[in-house]
Each structure stands twice: as C-alpha cells, then as structure tokens.
Amino acid sequence: MPWIPRGLRNGIVTSRYPQTQDSYGENFRAAIVIRPHQYDLTIAKKVVDACPTNAISLNENMPSLDRGRCILCGRCEELYPDAFQFDSGFEIASANRGQLIVPSLEETDSLLADTKKELAQRVKALKRSVHIRHIDMGSDGADEWEVAALTNPVYDVQRLGVYFTASPRHADLLLVTGVGTVGMVSSLEKTLDSMPDPKIVVAAGVDAISGGLIGRGYASNGGISKMVKVDVFVPGSPPTPFGLLYGILLATARIPIWRAGTCSGAPRIMGKPLKQADFGRPRDDGYLSEENP
Amino acid sequence: MTTNQRNNHRSVEEFSEAVIAKALNGDRFCGLFATKEASAVRLDAVFADNPQLFVASVLLPRSAEAFPSLSPYIPSASWYEREIYDLFGLLATGPSGPYPLVLPLSEGHVRPQPGSGSGKLHEPFEIDLSPLSSHLEGEGVFTIPFGPVRSGVFESIEYVVETPGEDIAHLRARVFYKHRGVQISFEGLDVNDGVLMAERSEGVASVAHCVAYCGALEKIAGTEPPVVAGLVRVIHAELERIVNHLDSIVRHTEAAGQAVAYSRFTLHKERLQRMRGRLCGSRFGRGVVVPGGVTGPPQLSPNELLVQLDEIEHDIRSDLKLLMATPSFLDRLRGTGILPPALAHCFAAIGPVGRGSNQSDDVRFTRPYDAYRQLSHQLIENRSEGDALSRQWVRIDEITGSFHFIRQATDRLERASRKGDLWRFELEIVDGEDWGWAEAPQGELLYLVKVEDGTLARVKPRSASFHNLGLFHTAFPKDILTDFAFIEASFGISIAGVAG
C-alpha cells in the first residue's frame, strides 16, 4: 500500500521523445564532428596516429572519422580543436555502415535510401508492437546498463510498444552488444535461428560494430558484422539509452526517411537546436508523420 | 608511499611452502597470477599485508608444464589456477584435473600466454563448447543450464544447476562465453591508451579500474598525483559505488516483483548516471582519471553538485527506508543464500559479499590511496548473518558512506583549489612493475602493471567479481531455484570483470 503514492512522488519523469525532442538527449555529447576548415596536415596526421581505434583517416588531405570505431576518448579534439569537436545530439545510428563515416559521401546517401526502403518493407508487419531479445557477445558490462535503462521510467520504451522478451521465439529484433567473442558465436546463431521472420539485427555500440578497442584477437571477431547481417548500427562506447532508442525506432521504420540521418550527415553547424517543426506533425499514437513539413 | 613487499623464491617447492605458511597464518589471499617472462613463466601469489601487499614470486623452470596446486590449502586459489591453465597451459597438479574456466581449449592448443608479447598475433581460436557432464547422480536429479543467453538483459554467463526438483543441489558457473582477451589487449599499448582499456575491462567500474591502473603506474614512477586530483578521483569513484549498489538493489526489487520500488530505484540510478554525465561528459565517469592525476575538476560548481546530491540522497533514503520495511520484500532476502562467516574467511571473500559475512577488509581504509588518507569516515558495520539481506544492508550503509565522502571531497576541493591549479603531474614513464589497487563497488580490485621500453608489457586486472564468483557456489546451502535471482543480485557480480 505505502508504495502507491511513491510512484507519484516525482511527477511525470518520462521523456516525450520522439514526439518532441528531449533536451537532455539533445545536449548529450554522443559523437564527434569534423568541421570544415583549412586542415593543417601535420596536426591532422598526428591526430590519425593518436586515435586509439584507428577511427580517423586522411583521404586526399581531408580527414574523416568512422563513428563505428570512435570510442569518444576526445583525443582528437584535444589535439586539433579547430577540426574535431564533440557534438551534442544522439540521433547518430544508421542503417548503413558507410554512413557512420563522417563527413558522409553522397554515394552512401543514395545507397542508404534503398537500404531503408527494403528495411521499411520488411518490418511493415510489426506495426506498433516490437519485441526485443538482447544478446551479449562480449561487452564490458556498461552496454547492458544502458540497454536496461530503456525500461526505466525516464525512457519507458513500453509506451512506444517496444518490449524486452525472454524468449527468442517472441522476438522481432535482436539487440547485440559486445565484441563478438568466439564463445558466443554458436549462441548467436541459435538465437537468430529461433527468431521468427521478419527479424532485424541491431548492433549496439562500437564494440558490436567494429570490436572497439579490443578489435580482432584470439577471443574476439572484431564486431558481429562478419557473423550476421546487421540492419542498424548504433555508435557509442557505450551507446546512450537515447541513442539506442533512436536505433530501435530507425530499425522498425518509425523514423521518417527524410528525417533519419540528418544528424550524422555532412558537417553541420555545432549545437543547432532542432525545432519541433523539424519533426513533422507528431501523431497521437507515437508514430512520426511521414509528411515532409 | 609504502612499497609492496616482494619475495623471490628459488624453487617452486619453496614458493608453495611459503605461500601455504602465509595462508595458514591467517593472511588474506588475494590471488595467484602468472606472467610470461623472456624465457619462462613467473608465478606471483599475492596476500593483503596492510597497508601494503605481500607478493611471493617464483620463476618456473623453462620446461615446466605444471606446478603443485595450492587449492587444497587455499580454496580460493582454484579459480586462479584454472585461469592460469587456460591462458598459459600450465597445469596445477592436485586432486582435480584440468578444468577450463575462461578459455576452454583442446589439450596442446597454442595459448595466448599474457606477457609474451605475441598474444596479439593470434587469429580467433576454436574453443570447446561441449556441455559439462553431470556432477550428481541420483533418482530424479537433472541439470538445468541457465544461459549463456538468459531471460532479460544480462551479461552472458552459464550457470549449470543440478537439482532434484526445487533445491539447488550443485551449481557451477561457466564464464568463458564472453572472454574477450582483455589482458592481451593491454599489451603493447602506450600507457595513456592503457587507461582506455582499463575503463573497458569492467565497464560498470570504469573509475575504480582507472584508479587502480594509474595507481600502479604512479608507484612505478614514484609520483603521487596532486592533492586536488585525489579529491576528484574520490568524487567519481564514490558516485560509481552508489550507482552500482543501486543497480544491485534494482535487481533485488525486480526479482521480488516490487514494480513501484523497481521503477523508483531505476529512476534514481538514471538521475545519478545523468549527474555523472554532467560532471565529466561520460555517464560512466570515463575520461577523468589519467596517469598522474585527473583531466580536470568536475564540470558542475560545488554548490550545484551538492544541491543535486542532496535531492537525490533524500529520495534514495526515503525509498530505502520504505523498502527495508516492506515485509514481502524482506521475506525473500532473509535467510537466503547464506554464506557463513567461517566459509567466507576460508574463501577470502571481499567487498560487500565479504562484509555481509563478517570479513571487513575495505582497502579504502586498510590500504588508503588518493584522498582517502585525508577524509574522515565512519567504519561500515560488519554483518555476520551472511544472507542476502545482510549483503543488502552493507550496500545501504556504503551508500550513506559514499554520500559522506563526496560531500567532504567537494568541500575540500572548493577550499583547496585555486586558479591555475595543476590537475595532473607529468608522469615520467620508466620501466618497472608494480601493483595498484582500489576498492571497486564489487570489492578489492588489483592491477599488476609492467612497463617495458615505455609500453605496457603485462597488465593483469583482478576484479573482485572474479574472486567472489569463485565462492558463489557455496552460498546455496538450503536454497531453491526461485532464490537464485536474489542470491545472484546480492553478489553484484560483473561478468565482464570475471571473464576478462
């Protein structure tokens, strides 16, 4: 009995995302951007060498950064603040591995549209009910905390019809964390085989995308993409709950095509706040409108 | 700075004798470790010899394939011996044969051999995933494997439970599923990159891992971090402790089906994670602790920090008070998963698990480091019941203690810091080897760090989770299957730290 009023004590703490943007998520530093600049090659080369996961490379004297490898240590910003900067915002997941490389190339953009269309077709039947099975393929443990946070009252994914399920038989989406250890390969196969079609695979965190700092070794396959076809990649080390939520919505085609990826595209002005108008007309059922405003 | 006491023995027999004598003397066994040296493997047995460590070492003959097992005398040595067999192929000869723990490879398979510098060259190994044969025989006894993919969002581990129906008659843990090769991943890194690896060796205790890793490097260099840096480390480490303890409480409430309590404590945990994010940009306190100090002060003003902390503490206290007066919750914890003090002593249990069974060693107080030397503290009362409830009470008391530490450290930081303060001393990278430590939320954390030619030649983190999971099977004297979730939650183990 005494617990009942406790539930009301702090008022409504639940985020309204994705109907409206969330100020905490928008201000969280979840990615690095490369700013247009007259690059000084000596410093840029130093940055390339200093990056612990080889996420930064130089192509024709233009630096690019692979968010699928970036563990957000901030060393590049420290060495070359004019070119590399932490950016706020969490909508950095993508359905295309190539699009995690910023600044993005135009080819990947058109490729992405096709990937998304195919994905949208595949998940059409899921509608508003998405059941997630999580599998740990060798994470550092922090990823699980962020995944589990999705069920706390702040993110409360159940409000969006997203549930975690104990059995792969009920699962639509497989959320994978970790570097892809050799010990878990057969468990991953079994879990995936047990899932009914259509199934979607989300790689959560740089460990799952590329192996992160551990990379490939005697016990690790350097990410999961060699073992299974990944539909959506969520960067971060670990990925934030909002980043994961965005990735899940993206994977289930609940982010309009025109909208997705705007945060991870070409270099943009730092910290430009996104307005309600950027999101189209929110519908009452938690879907985002497909209309372009 | 106190130096760790090192004793080199000439033969493995002499080494075993000395180590067993030390254990029989009642000294707390911290672990047994191996390192591949230029020509042979070195064994280190470590004991707590507060306020420092006692390390006994022996260089095994080059051709050695085995060494005498210590586990008949020191039961907690068993897991360390199994890890050494998996990683080095060195068998501890004793009553039991080879029994893989972190890396089940076929006999004669090439091993990673941490310290040799060649471990990074290997391609992914084929490992032996065959199921365990049953340990018990009897009518109606059957085996239930829990995991490695378990119901809910959990790290991968397999618990093999043998039961006649309800009682947990026998339990074994198989941890190799998520073995990532952390020790090898450290090798060859520059000491600053080592920090990033330390943060990821057990992600939920990132700060403690950095503190212990940097502590070892600072001992090698003979440098102490600036006083203000020590205070900043305490703030981040104690926040980490509170959040980890809340996580354990969340798991208890989830297992007990206390829906409101579950959502309240997950809310508090999220609020604290956000606060940690505001202090340093990372929800896990990463990027703060570096060799020689910290990267900077908390990014919130002391006043803001204290106001937010007061609000959160008030809410946590109030909910804890109600939770610990909710009979339907307490009934599930009282008398569940009893670890008798004598057994806890015998297995040298550490952290909240140890303190719930009257084993008090907390290295913040017994081997103080950073600002713990200056800050005042109330000793946390030991509990001797040894059940899940007493472990829960220890955590609640530690949460109170942590808030107290953060307030003191913030106050002192405000008074001590001046404009132009140096947050980090430039650390001279010299070759050498030493042990660092910290009291992680899970218990005593040890780091062996060896620097050669300016890069890391050998790093071995020993998480409290590894040590405590080794005695997990003893905590099921009369428990049934539905108690499992509580006992697991009350141990608060991070599998990433165990599997390595």
Side-chain angles (χ1 to χ4, degrees), chain A residues 111-148:
Chain A
L111 203 73
L112 184 68
D114 294 340
T115 319
K116 283 236 185 71
K117 231 177 246 166
E118 186 272 323
L119 190 63
Q121 201 59 38
R122 190 146 46 101
V123 298
K124 217 172 173 183
L126 298 182
K127 294 191 178 161
R128 297 181 55 189
S129 163
V130 180
H131 289 247
I132 301 178
R133 174 65 252 186
H134 159 260
I135 182 170
D136 163 23
M137 297 280 296
S139 71
D140 65 12
D143 308 67
E144 278 66 35
W145 274 26
E146 297 299 54
V147 173

Side-chain angles (χ1 to χ4, degrees), chain A residues 1-11 13 15 22 24-25 28-29 49-53 71-73 75 78 86 133-155 164-168 174-175 177-188 191 206-207 212-222 237-242, chain B residues 87 103 112 119-120 122-127 129 148-156 176-185 189-190 192-193 196-204 206 240 243-244 247 251 258 260-271 273-274 276-278 280-284 286-287 295 299 314-315 318-320 322-324 326 424 494-497:
Chain A
M1 241 349 232
W3 279 105
I4 296 171
R6 287 295 159 119
L8 308 171
R9 200 171 250 189
N10 291 65
V13 294
S15 167
D22 188 283
Y24 172 78
F28 193 83
R29 308 182 318 170
D49 290 339
C51 179
T53 52
I71 56 168
L72 299 165
C73 65
R75 215 167 272 174
E78 210 173 284
F86 269 108
R133 174 65 252 186
H134 159 260
I135 182 170
D136 163 23
M137 297 280 296
S139 71
D140 65 12
D143 308 67
E144 278 66 35
W145 274 26
E146 297 299 54
V147 173
L150 290 172
T151 58
N152 75 27
V154 179
Y155 303 99
F164 283 91
T165 173
S167 165
L174 188 65
L175 188 64
T177 54
V179 298
T181 52
V182 292
M184 285 301 291
V185 174
S186 66
S187 304
L188 176 71
T191 308
V206 292
D207 279 358
L213 204 57
I214 294 204
R216 197 176 152 83
Y218 73 89
S220 151
N221 286 293
S237 179
T240 62
F242 270 127
Chain B
L87 299 183
L103 189 65
K120 274 198 172 155
H122 298 298
E123 283 291 293
F125 287 166
E126 280 274 317
I127 64 168
L129 290 168
V149 184
R150 302 167 63 203
S151 55
V153 180
F154 288 107
E155 289 188 68
S156 293
F176 55 80
Y177 293 98
K178 65 176 296 181
H179 174 71
R180 294 172 290 159
V182 168
Q183 299 173 44
I184 293 291
S185 299
L189 294 183
D190 152 62
N192 291 312
D193 287 355
L196 303 172
M197 197 58 237
E199 285 173 340
R200 283 156 187 82
S201 78
E202 190 175 20
V204 298
S206 292
E240 180 175 271
V243 182
N244 270 278
D247 184 68
R251 295 222 170 170
Q258 301 279 343
V260 185
Y262 171 79
S263 80
R264 291 292 293 167
F265 287 106
T266 50
L267 171 64
H268 301 326
K269 186 180 162 199
E270 175 67 22
R271 287 162 79 190
Q273 288 293 76
R274 289 187 169 196
R276 292 171 78 191
R278 277 190 282 270
C280 65
S282 156
R283 286 162 59 92
F284 290 86
R286 294 180 181 174
T295 45
Q299 287 162 20
H314 173 266
D315 286 357
S318 147
D319 284 339
L320 276 176
L322 181 56
L323 183 69
M324 297 315 273
T326 302
R424 172 183 194 180
S494 159
I495 313 300

Side-chain angles (χ1 to χ4, degrees), chain B residues 116-139:
Chain B
S116 61
S118 62
K120 274 198 172 155
L121 306 173
H122 298 298
E123 283 291 293
F125 287 166
E126 280 274 317
I127 64 168
D128 175 14
L129 290 168
S130 48
L132 288 180
S133 55
S134 52
H135 179 81
L136 297 180
E137 277 178 25
E139 204 183 311

Side-chain angles (χ1 to χ4, degrees), chain A residues 25-292:
Chain A
E26 268 308 287
N27 291 317
F28 193 83
R29 308 182 318 170
I32 299 262
V33 284
I34 299 186
R35 302 176 71 196
H37 177 70
Q38 279 294 72
Y39 300 112
D40 179 330
L41 280 185
T42 356
I43 315 182
K45 274 183 189 141
K46 240 185 232 167
V47 176
V48 171
D49 290 339
C51 179
T53 52
N54 300 324
I56 300 170
S57 51
L58 275 174
N59 290 324
E60 292 166 10
N61 300 337
M62 284 283 289
S64 69
L65 179 138
D66 181 358
R67 287 180 176 164
R69 289 176 174 275
C70 173
I71 56 168
L72 299 165
C73 65
R75 215 167 272 174
C76 49
E77 191 197 41
E78 210 173 284
L79 283 169
Y80 199 180
D82 290 333
F84 297 88
Q85 247 175 0
F86 269 108
D87 194 11
S88 49
F90 56 87
E91 295 177 319
I92 47 173
S94 175
N96 181 293
R97 177 72 180 83
Q99 220 210 5
L100 296 181
I101 300 168
V102 289
S104 74
L105 305 164
E106 269 177 41
E107 301 152 39
T108 55
D109 282 353
S110 63
L111 203 73
L112 184 68
D114 294 340
T115 319
K116 283 236 185 71
K117 231 177 246 166
E118 186 272 323
L119 190 63
Q121 201 59 38
R122 190 146 46 101
V123 298
K124 217 172 173 183
L126 298 182
K127 294 191 178 161
R128 297 181 55 189
S129 163
V130 180
H131 289 247
I132 301 178
R133 174 65 252 186
H134 159 260
I135 182 170
D136 163 23
M137 297 280 296
S139 71
D140 65 12
D143 308 67
E144 278 66 35
W145 274 26
E146 297 299 54
V147 173
L150 290 172
T151 58
N152 75 27
V154 179
Y155 303 99
D156 186 25
V157 287
Q158 288 94 330
R159 76 197 150 95
L160 300 166
V162 176
Y163 304 92
F164 283 91
T165 173
S167 165
R169 289 276 189 242
H170 301 167
D172 309 304
L173 189 152
L174 188 65
L175 188 64
V176 191
T177 54
V179 298
T181 52
V182 292
M184 285 301 291
V185 174
S186 66
S187 304
L188 176 71
E189 281 166 10
K190 275 185 210 159
T191 308
L192 212 56
D193 282 348
S194 315
M195 284 170 63
D197 283 326
K199 41 192 156 198
I200 323 157
V201 178
V202 174
V206 292
D207 279 358
I209 300 172
S210 67
L213 204 57
I214 294 204
R216 197 176 152 83
Y218 73 89
S220 151
N221 286 293
I224 58 159
S225 20
K226 284 196 192 77
M227 294 170 248
V228 53
K229 188 188 164 296
V230 178
D231 295 305
V232 166
F233 303 85
V234 186
S237 179
T240 62
F242 270 127
L244 289 165
L245 181 53
Y246 176 78
I248 292 164
L249 294 175
L250 188 69
T252 46
R254 287 166 71 173
I255 304 281
I257 290 170
W258 60 267
R259 163 92 190 90
T262 48
C263 288
S264 55
R268 65 187 181 102
I269 310 297
M270 281 285 300
K272 174 186 159 260
L274 290 155
K275 295 196 193 78
Q276 176 69 56
D278 294 335
F279 284 84
R281 185 171 49 80
R283 293 190 339 203
D284 297 338
D285 58 5
Y287 273 105
L288 291 165
S289 163
E290 291 285 336
E291 299 157 34
N292 198 331

Side-chain angles (χ1 to χ4, degrees), chain B residues 231-500:
Chain B
L231 291 165
V232 175
R233 286 182 180 183
V234 166
I235 294 174
H236 287 281
E238 293 302 325
L239 279 170
E240 180 175 271
R241 188 178 324 279
I242 300 172
V243 182
N244 270 278
H245 288 356
L246 282 181
D247 184 68
S248 162
I249 292 166
V250 163
R251 295 222 170 170
H252 282 92
T253 55
E254 191 183 14
Q258 301 279 343
V260 185
Y262 171 79
S263 80
R264 291 292 293 167
F265 287 106
T266 50
L267 171 64
H268 301 326
K269 186 180 162 199
E270 175 67 22
R271 287 162 79 190
L272 276 166
Q273 288 293 76
R274 289 187 169 196
M275 187 172 150
R276 292 171 78 191
R278 277 190 282 270
L279 288 184
C280 65
S282 156
R283 286 162 59 92
F284 290 86
R286 294 180 181 174
V288 177
V289 182
V290 286
V294 293
T295 45
Q299 287 162 20
L300 275 178
S301 75
N303 196 28
E304 273 175 294
L305 198 157
L306 290 175
V307 168
Q308 285 191 22
L309 205 66
D310 282 345
E311 274 174 30
I312 299 176
E313 188 185 6
H314 173 266
D315 286 357
I316 292 177
R317 263 177 193 275
S318 147
D319 284 339
L320 276 176
K321 199 174 158 197
L322 181 56
L323 183 69
M324 297 315 273
T326 302
S328 56
F329 178 72
L330 298 179
D331 287 348
R332 299 305 308 271
L333 272 68
R334 196 177 288 121
T336 303
I338 294 178
L339 177 69
L343 204 58
H345 179 76
C346 172
F347 274 94
I350 45 180
V353 177
R355 288 191 275 283
S357 298
N358 215 13
Q359 308 303 309
S360 61
D361 205 353
D362 182 330
V363 301
R364 287 178 294 170
F365 313 131
T366 54
R367 294 203 299 275
Y369 51 95
D370 294 340
Y372 291 112
R373 285 184 214 123
Q374 297 112 42
L375 300 176
S376 78
H377 65 271
Q378 296 132 332
L379 258 191
I380 285 146
E381 199 192 325
N382 268 351
R383 310 259 165 181
S384 51
E385 294 85 353
D387 56 358
L389 186 62
S390 56
R391 294 191 275 276
Q392 171 97 335
W393 275 119
V394 167
R395 288 202 174 86
I396 292 172
D397 291 345
E398 288 195 8
I399 289 176
T400 311
S402 294
F403 277 115
H404 183 63
F405 270 130
I406 300 170
R407 277 206 191 84
Q408 275 189 73
T410 312
D411 268 354
R412 286 205 183 203
L413 193 61
E414 197 182 4
R415 274 185 279 129
S417 56
R418 286 179 187 75
K419 257 203 173 145
D421 248 337
L422 203 56
W423 296 98
R424 172 183 194 180
F425 290 142
E426 215 39 68
L427 206 65
E428 198 194 339
I429 310 296
V430 286
D431 287 1
E433 181 184 328
D434 218 325
W435 291 85
W437 56 77
E439 183 74 17
Q442 292 78 14
E444 177 200 55
L445 167 69
L446 296 175
Y447 255 81
L448 166 66
V449 178
K450 180 178 174 189
V451 181
E452 245 173 39
D453 305 327
T455 58
L456 298 170
R458 168 84 170 121
V459 177
K460 164 67 193 169
R462 198 281 270 133
S463 152
S465 297
F466 180 89
H467 193 92
N468 279 345
L469 194 61
L471 60 105
F472 186 56
H473 68 280
T474 62
F476 295 81
K478 48 181 185 187
D479 297 282
I480 58 173
L481 292 173
T482 48
D483 293 328
F484 186 87
F486 293 93
I487 304 175
E488 195 195 8
S490 73
F491 264 65
I493 277 159
S494 159
I495 313 300
V498 182

